[in-house]
Amino acid sequence: MKIFKTPLLLLLLFLIISQLSFAQDKAPKYSDIVVENPEPEADIKVVNNYVNALINNKMMEAKELLSDNYIGYGPAANDSITKQATLDSWNETHKIRSNEKVSFVTATIRVVQGEYKGDWVYQFGTYSFTQDGKDIELPYQFTALVNNGKIERSSIYYDNLAILKALGYQIIPPSKE
């Protein structure tokens, strides 16, 4: 029985290694999927103008920079929001916040194949504001798909818990009954 175990184990090991190398050969190269955006300035301007319009309470300008079928995602995995709901949310935000400012860095790429095909602009920065007498600084990451001068979809990531803690909220664990 020992005679058969060693060759069998070697064969199994060979098959696993060959499958791994075959899978790696099939994976597309970065340069096959992502290229330089041919119109970086125009797409970056759309996203920068949109973020600045939101922060500066210029809702009509922000509205014009979103496509009619816009969907925003985040910050949580299952969060999504439409164009009108985004504008409504920011209108409510401006009622409770003051001294709103934003600083950011923006870059862009073009994805040439797959489900994420298109011109993507990504921005990371800090949004600061005063709410309930407390000064808050919120680091964020925003990524947007830009098409024909409008944002079609976006994802934003930031730490909701950090904001709540800065505003004085506390986390209370459930009681163990």
Side-chain angles (χ1 to χ4, degrees):
M1 201 65 158
K2 280 187 177 182
I3 297 172
F4 293 113
K5 280 187 178 180
T6 303
L8 186 58
L9 288 174
L10 288 173
L11 178 62
L12 183 60
L13 184 60
F14 173 76
L15 289 173
I16 290 171
I17 291 172
S18 66
Q19 284 295 335
L20 289 174
S21 63
F22 179 74
Q24 288 174 351
D25 291 341
K26 286 286 194 181
K29 294 179 187 174
Y30 175 82
S31 60
D32 292 337
I33 297 174
V34 177
V35 297
E36 189 173 324
N37 183 337
E39 296 184 26
E41 299 300 327
D43 291 342
I44 286 173
K45 184 178 180 183
V46 168
V47 172
N48 289 353
N49 286 349
Y50 171 69
V51 170
N52 281 316
L54 288 177
I55 302 306
N56 293 302
N57 199 12
K58 296 180 179 178
M59 298 289 88
M60 290 307 294
E61 185 177 326
K63 181 179 183 177
E64 291 303 312
L65 293 168
L66 296 177
S67 71
D68 289 337
N69 59 347
Y70 168 80
I71 297 287
Y73 297 96
N78 295 323
D79 290 348
S80 65
I81 193 166
T82 64
K83 176 179 181 174
Q84 191 57 53
T86 298
L87 300 170
D88 293 345
S89 175
W90 275 96
N91 280 324
E92 292 303 310
T93 294
H94 292 304
K95 292 177 184 176
I96 59 173
R97 294 182 182 167
S98 61
N99 301 319
E100 294 176 86
K101 295 179 183 85
V102 67
S103 63
F104 50 75
V105 174
T106 312
T108 183
I109 59 170
R110 173 173 279 182
V111 177
V112 295
Q113 61 178 303
E115 71 176 290
Y116 298 109
K117 185 176 180 178
D119 295 326
W120 291 90
V121 177
Y122 44 101
Q123 181 183 92
F124 62 92
T126 303
Y127 166 48
S128 58
F129 56 91
T130 302
Q131 184 174 329
D132 297 337
K134 296 177 173 81
D135 293 327
I136 311 287
E137 284 197 358
L138 174 65
Y140 71 92
Q141 195 284 321
F142 180 73
T143 304
L145 174 63
V146 178
N147 189 19
N148 294 322
K150 303 223 182 223
I151 299 172
E152 287 189 356
R153 80 182 204 202
S154 69
S155 294
I156 189 162
Y157 305 97
Y158 58 88
D159 186 353
N160 267 323
L161 183 57
I163 297 171
L164 295 173
K165 288 172 85 174
L167 291 171
Y169 288 80
Q170 297 178 3
I171 296 176
I172 301 171
S175 62
K176 296 180 181 177
E177 296 179 292

